[in-house]
Amino acid sequence: MASHRRPKQPSRARVTVLTTAAAAAVAFSAQAANAAPSEKPTKDEVKAKVDKLYEQAEQATEKYNGAKEKQEKLQKEISTIQDNVARGQEELNELRDSIGMAAAAQYRTGTIDSSLQLFLSSNPDDYLDKASTADQLSAQQVEALKKIQEKQRELAQERSEASEKLKDLASTRTELGKKKQEVQGKLAEAQKLLNSLTAAEKAALAAEQDRANRSSSSRVDLGDAPAGSSRAMAAFQAAQSKIGSPYVYGASGPSSFDCSGLTSWAYAQAGVSIPRTSQAQANAGTRIYSQSDLRVGDLVLFYGDLHHVGFYAGNGQVLHAPRTGTTVRYESINNMPFQFGVRI
């Protein structure tokens, strides 16, 4: 006779867990259904982010320029030291050769006692001349040995200096590579943001930038601003001749520029050598802290870390290479945080 068993009822705890899980799943689904999709940044928000990235890229660019300038300086110094070492080695070899010749000459004359040499000599006067010459050679030998020792110390010092500079050069090249990667990374990030815009938004941004370049490229009224020195004005006019040239990081002319590349190139055209980076240019002359005291051709420094520089153009305007995506142009001095001017 078959037994009749009642089906096993699920425990109250199990029912509770399943009910709770089901309720949570339903609630999550409802939340997901009602959640608003993530909002795409507006054109203006993208532009603000891109502008910030460009500013960061320019900061890295000035550090890149500084490392590049240091690298070039070290390479010149190392080349000079290596030339000095080569010349010094030649001088040392000549000194050693002279010592060797003197030693050989003494060996050939032998070590016969001077009184016996005089007795056996067929020409005493001739012997006395030779003896005098031998004494002179001995004194010359001592002097030559001193020179050899000095030259050896000098060469050792120069080789040590060259070795240290080569180490410095290696670390500078590493820093240069890192700064280049940093600049490229910021520019790539900015480009990625720009690529996220629609075709219409990209066109609108491009039109804005084009208008800014065009409206800032025409000659400005210098107003009542006094002109700088003849060389400052020559540098300023050289910079004016490059209006419309594109900004390219690390470039110092003649067809493209970054901010300090433009100012250093322009002053070079006026026969004045100034440092390559904006931070170094900040110390290249007399600082002018009041905008009202600026003269046309003075350098103007911006931002707390002094990573941007341009020319004062008069009438509250600066002539500069602004950033990636722009050209050399005029712009209001109030568009950036002014720090001070520098009169070269």
Side-chain angles (χ1 to χ4, degrees), residues 168-287:
D168 198 2
L169 179 60
S171 63
T172 300
R173 281 177 173 157
T174 300
E175 182 188 358
L176 188 63
K178 288 180 180 177
K179 290 304 170 190
K180 186 175 182 179
Q181 286 181 340
E182 185 179 348
V183 174
Q184 291 173 333
K186 297 293 182 185
L187 295 181
E189 193 176 345
Q191 189 59 54
K192 186 177 179 181
L193 279 169
L194 291 172
N195 290 342
S196 71
L197 296 174
T198 64
E201 288 171 332
K202 289 178 186 176
L205 273 183
E208 286 177 22
Q209 189 58 62
D210 189 48
R211 281 195 299 272
N213 284 333
R214 282 204 311 272
S215 63
S216 303
S217 295
S218 57
R219 189 179 183 86
V220 299
D221 178 11
L222 301 184
D224 297 328
S229 67
S230 59
R231 286 191 171 181
M233 290 305 294
F236 177 68
Q237 288 162 4
Q240 282 182 312
S241 73
K242 294 302 176 179
I243 288 174
S245 298
Y247 178 103
V248 174
Y249 86 88
S252 56
S255 57
S256 58
F257 304 87
D258 60 24
C259 68
S260 58
L262 175 67
T263 50
S264 59
W265 175 87
Y267 262 101
Q269 307 317 298
V272 180
S273 176
I274 64 173
R276 174 62 175 88
T277 66
S278 58
Q279 289 92 342
Q281 289 177 16
N283 298 313
T286 304
R287 292 189 176 185

Side-chain angles (χ1 to χ4, degrees), residues 48-67:
K49 290 179 181 178
V50 167
D51 287 345
K52 186 64 179 176
L53 285 166
Y54 282 155
E55 183 185 335
Q56 292 170 353
E58 188 179 32
Q59 289 175 304
T61 293
E62 285 304 294
K63 291 176 182 176
Y64 167 85
N65 289 338

